[in-house]
Amino acid sequence: MDLLQPAMIVVDLGCSSGQNTLTFVSKVIKVIGRDIGGESKRNPVELQFFLNDLPGNDFNHVFGSLERFKKMTAAEHKENTLVPPFYIAGLPGSYYTRLFPRQSCHLFHSSYCLHWRSQVPAGLEGGREYLNEGNIYIAKTTPAVVAELYRQQFQKDMLLFLKLRYEELVVGGQMVLTFLGRKYEDIYNKGYLNHPCGLLARSLQSLVEEGLVKKEKLDSFNLPIYTPSVNEVVAVVAQTGSFNVSHIKLFESNWDPHDDSKGDEVQNSVQSGINIAKCLRAVFESLLASHFGESLLNKLFEKCAYYVAEHLQWGEGKYLLICVSLKRT
Amino acid sequence: MDLLQPAMIVVDLGCSSGQNTLTFVSKVIKVIGRDIGGESKRNPVELQFFLNDLPGNDFNHVFGSLERFKKMTAAEHKENTLVPPFYIAGLPGSYYTRLFPRQSCHLFHSSYCLHWRSQVPAGLEGGREYLNEGNIYIAKTTPAVVAELYRQQFQKDMLLFLKLRYEELVVGGQMVLTFLGRKYEDIYNKGYLNHPCGLLARSLQSLVEEGLVKKEKLDSFNLPIYTPSVNEVVAVVAQTGSFNVSHIKLFESNWDPHDDSKGDEVQNSVQSGINIAKCLRAVFESLLASHFGESLLNKLFEKCAYYVAEHLQWGEGKYLLICVSLKRT
């Protein structure tokens, strides 16, 4: 990568506005700081970060925390390494559109985002027939045609994403992308209750049974996500011909972010149920509120915590994540 | 300016978050769009805009308006010119600090900002004696030593500003800066009641007389602004040796933004008083609230509208603005 340019341009796609928003920025600063020595000490690489998310993201909150972040970073680096000069900007917009001038970025990063599709799979949304009755994502009872629509939406989105980032990256520029994936090619294998979305669907079904949600409301709702297999990712990348896969890895992470254990057993399934329902709420709240109404959410996630806890007594509580590192040709 | 680079980087310093925030962006797009023809039609210059203001600025509001702005821009350009590809980022931070990597910007713009100092003049703030009794800026009764402190703060800030932007601009890069200035070298000439700050001070004095504000509160308050003369600006630029003055111009603008008339006479001084007090409130509200308390503001700006209206019956209602265009050597 050509770093003779004035600065290294680094982008975090889907930065969000929580306490993890600046984690990636902090790591890049540490790594680059470690390399500053000798000649480059006098003229260190400067870093320009762009924090990207949809325009509705709370950028004010992120910007409000930058002063403290800068002070903390300076304090942490005092002893060991030099802090490279760094500058942080916010960039609102969907990563399914062009975000940067051509060949202006060196590194794209994205964490827990690229399983989001640009829309509910074309053909599923707004139809008069409900093809995915009772479900909100691919489940055991999802017809093959719906699973195929999901797969096609993934391919279309991912091709678009790669094409856009190809235009924005310098030659040799890189991407490190981490997103939810799956282990088996068979999309139905452990595709249902093992997946938190299945348990969220179960919670909605329960509200339908109680007469609190109309069946039609549930039938017409589908999540704009897709969890591809490693092979599906590799195939899309190959199709573009614009990137080399430097690394690709599948790894596991606990549903419960407070649970650091490696094993399969969950210590306290009730508490984990509550923690996981909270996470799901943070992620899906706005989508669910705009379709089902705000007033339903407390009840929905109470149920969700219950079903997750029930599941954890006998089933796995692991996400599968794909981490892929791509180099632009 | 070297535009063979992928993109032209344009920065608006002190962008604020009102309905004028995107005016400058819109103008640059129009000018560049007009130039797109022939060879460059196939490979037009791309524009990357940075909207800068302090971290407390409402960037969420600005970002929320971008979608509509993009649509409007596309619609406006349909007939006449091509829209150059453009990208808009937000950059929180004071322009009295480094904001960008070295030599990474082509054009800086700033409108109605650079009369703000980085702080209340050093030596005035926090002292036990109040050197500028009864005033909030330079007024007829301001001691010469205080006026000198104001002038020194301007020089220090402006030197710092120019030094920082010099580092960030490419060779040949430009700045267009518009800020409040004054006509006469004598800082006291038309320096008091002719200036809106003088009328704001008069309003505060009136609250002191009524016992609503302690005299000490007013005496300890000084605005962190300074309106230099053209010669003072030229002298600071010459001192840096880093910029050539392409143009510098002094021009007038009505205090009342709703009054487009060219003459000296104000049509409706009462209505203009109200309009102008509203503007002053928008500009100074947060500073005044944090020193005098929120609860006083309604009363203060009612009085201010009265004194402004009274003034407009016999006096001028014009700001003097300096517009300077600088080229980096």
Side-chain angles (χ1 to χ4, degrees), chain B residues 20-54:
Chain B
N20 294 329
T21 295
L22 295 163
T23 307
F24 170 67
V25 171
S26 171
K27 283 188 179 162
V28 173
I29 290 170
K30 271 207 186 90
V31 169
I32 300 289
R34 220 175 283 146
D35 285 348
I36 299 180
E39 185 54 31
S40 57
K41 215 169 196 166
R42 280 193 295 278
N43 214 13
V45 173
E46 296 186 278
L47 297 167
Q48 188 171 38
F49 290 99
F50 287 87
L51 301 175
N52 158 260
D53 213 314
L54 292 173

Side-chain angles (χ1 to χ4, degrees), chain A residues 52-56 59 90-101 165 168, chain B residues 22-23 25-26 29 47-49 51 61-78 81-90:
Chain A
N52 158 261
D53 212 314
L54 293 173
F59 282 98
L91 189 87
S94 160
Y95 48 62
Y96 294 120
T97 66
R98 272 289 291 279
L99 296 169
F100 292 94
R165 299 296 88 77
E168 294 165 352
Chain B
L22 295 163
T23 307
V25 171
S26 171
I29 290 170
L47 297 167
Q48 188 171 38
F49 290 99
L51 301 175
H61 180 77
V62 178
F63 290 173
S65 70
L66 289 181
E67 212 45 58
R68 207 165 55 90
F69 174 76
K70 284 176 192 168
K71 277 186 192 145
M72 267 177 50
T73 306
E76 272 173 24
H77 283 67
K78 220 184 278 175
T81 53
L82 283 172
V83 188
F86 66 93
Y87 311 95
I88 301 179

Side-chain angles (χ1 to χ4, degrees), chain A residues 129-188:
Chain A
E129 279 181 289
Y130 303 122
L131 299 177
N132 198 20
E133 241 180 282
N135 302 314
I136 62 174
Y137 178 54
I138 300 165
K140 284 250 153 80
T141 57
T142 294
V145 61
V146 171
E148 180 57 20
L149 286 174
Y150 264 104
R151 206 184 52 80
Q152 283 170 9
Q153 189 64 44
F154 158 74
Q155 283 188 319
K156 201 178 142 191
D157 281 344
M158 204 64 182
L159 274 173
L160 176 62
F161 176 85
L162 293 170
K163 181 181 165 290
L164 294 166
R165 299 296 88 77
Y166 175 80
E167 287 167 15
E168 294 165 352
L169 275 167
V170 300
V171 175
Q174 305 208 14
M175 301 210 277
V176 180
L177 313 169
T178 304
F179 48 90
L180 292 175
R182 60 178 210 278
K183 201 168 186 171
Y184 304 101
E185 294 309 316
D186 174 12
I187 209 166
Y188 293 99

Side-chain angles (χ1 to χ4, degrees), chain B residues 16-166:
Chain B
S16 187
S17 62
Q19 55 187 23
N20 294 329
T21 295
L22 295 163
T23 307
F24 170 67
V25 171
S26 171
K27 283 188 179 162
V28 173
I29 290 170
K30 271 207 186 90
V31 169
I32 300 289
R34 220 175 283 146
D35 285 348
I36 299 180
E39 185 54 31
S40 57
K41 215 169 196 166
R42 280 193 295 278
N43 214 13
V45 173
E46 296 186 278
L47 297 167
Q48 188 171 38
F49 290 99
F50 287 87
L51 301 175
N52 158 260
D53 213 314
L54 292 173
N57 187 47
D58 190 353
F59 282 98
N60 283 353
H61 180 77
V62 178
F63 290 173
S65 70
L66 289 181
E67 212 45 58
R68 207 165 55 90
F69 174 76
K70 284 176 192 168
K71 277 186 192 145
M72 267 177 50
T73 306
E76 272 173 24
H77 283 67
K78 220 184 278 175
E79 303 276 320
N80 312 318
T81 53
L82 283 172
V83 188
F86 66 93
Y87 311 95
I88 301 179
L91 188 86
S94 160
Y95 48 62
Y96 294 119
T97 66
R98 271 290 291 278
L99 297 169
F100 292 94
R102 53 182 179 270
Q103 300 203 16
S104 66
C105 302
H106 298 94
L107 177 63
F108 282 105
H109 170 265
S110 168
S111 184
Y112 279 81
C113 288
L114 272 171
H115 41 265
W116 283 102
R117 302 283 51 89
S118 65
Q119 57 167 84
V120 170
L124 263 189
E125 196 177 45
R128 257 169 270 164
E129 278 181 288
Y130 302 121
L131 299 177
N132 198 20
E133 242 180 281
N135 302 312
I136 63 174
Y137 179 54
I138 300 165
K140 284 253 151 82
T141 56
T142 294
V145 61
V146 171
E148 180 57 20
L149 287 174
Y150 264 104
R151 205 184 54 79
Q152 283 171 10
Q153 189 66 44
F154 157 75
Q155 283 188 319
K156 200 177 143 191
D157 281 344
M158 203 63 182
L159 275 174
L160 175 63
F161 176 84
L162 293 170
K163 181 181 165 291
L164 294 166
R165 299 297 87 76
Y166 174 80

Side-chain angles (χ1 to χ4, degrees), chain A residues 82-321:
Chain A
L82 283 172
V83 188
F86 66 93
Y87 311 94
I88 300 180
L91 189 87
S94 160
Y95 48 62
Y96 294 120
T97 66
R98 272 289 291 279
L99 296 169
F100 292 94
R102 53 183 179 270
Q103 300 203 17
S104 65
C105 303
H106 298 93
L107 177 64
F108 282 106
H109 170 265
S110 168
S111 184
Y112 279 82
C113 289
L114 272 171
H115 42 265
W116 284 102
R117 302 282 53 88
S118 64
Q119 56 166 86
V120 170
L124 262 189
E125 196 178 42
R128 258 169 271 164
E129 279 181 289
Y130 303 122
L131 299 177
N132 198 20
E133 241 180 282
N135 302 314
I136 62 174
Y137 178 54
I138 300 165
K140 284 250 153 80
T141 57
T142 294
V145 61
V146 171
E148 180 57 20
L149 286 174
Y150 264 104
R151 206 184 52 80
Q152 283 170 9
Q153 189 64 44
F154 158 74
Q155 283 188 319
K156 201 178 142 191
D157 281 344
M158 204 64 182
L159 274 173
L160 176 62
F161 176 85
L162 293 170
K163 181 181 165 290
L164 294 166
R165 299 296 88 77
Y166 175 80
E167 287 167 15
E168 294 165 352
L169 275 167
V170 300
V171 175
Q174 305 208 14
M175 301 210 277
V176 180
L177 313 169
T178 304
F179 48 90
L180 292 175
R182 60 178 210 278
K183 201 168 186 171
Y184 304 101
E185 294 309 316
D186 174 12
I187 209 166
Y188 293 99
N189 190 324
K190 298 208 180 185
Y192 186 44
L193 275 180
N194 245 358
H195 202 284
C197 295
L199 297 164
L200 192 54
R202 180 74 195 83
S203 313
L204 284 162
Q205 285 158 9
S206 161
L207 294 179
V208 171
E209 285 155 22
E210 290 178 28
L212 294 169
V213 168
K214 280 189 185 154
K215 187 175 171 300
E216 201 188 17
K217 264 280 171 204
L218 170 55
D219 292 346
S220 62
F221 183 73
N222 291 291
L223 286 171
I225 54 173
Y226 183 78
T227 57
S229 71
V230 166
N231 285 341
E232 283 175 326
V233 174
V234 170
V236 174
V237 174
Q239 201 180 326
T240 67
S242 312
F243 289 94
N244 292 325
V245 178
S246 312
H247 297 280
I248 188 160
K249 205 175 86 172
L250 192 75
F251 65 97
E252 284 183 340
S253 169
N254 288 330
W255 287 359
D256 181 355
H258 299 285
D259 178 2
D260 294 332
S261 65
K262 298 279 177 206
D264 281 344
E265 242 168 84
V266 171
Q267 297 298 314
N268 181 341
S269 57
V270 172
Q271 187 54 53
S272 279
I274 293 167
N275 297 343
I276 293 160
K278 262 190 198 164
C279 288
L280 291 171
R281 182 166 186 162
V283 172
F284 292 122
E285 180 157 26
S286 63
L287 263 185
L288 291 163
S290 71
H291 187 87
F292 294 101
E294 192 86 38
S295 61
L296 215 80
L297 295 187
N298 283 342
K299 188 137 192 129
L300 175 64
F301 284 99
E302 260 171 48
K303 283 197 180 287
C304 188
Y306 170 80
Y307 287 118
V308 172
E310 192 190 54
H311 165 85
L312 290 177
Q313 288 178 334
W314 54 267
E316 274 180 1
K318 305 277 187 193
Y319 293 111
L320 283 165
L321 288 149

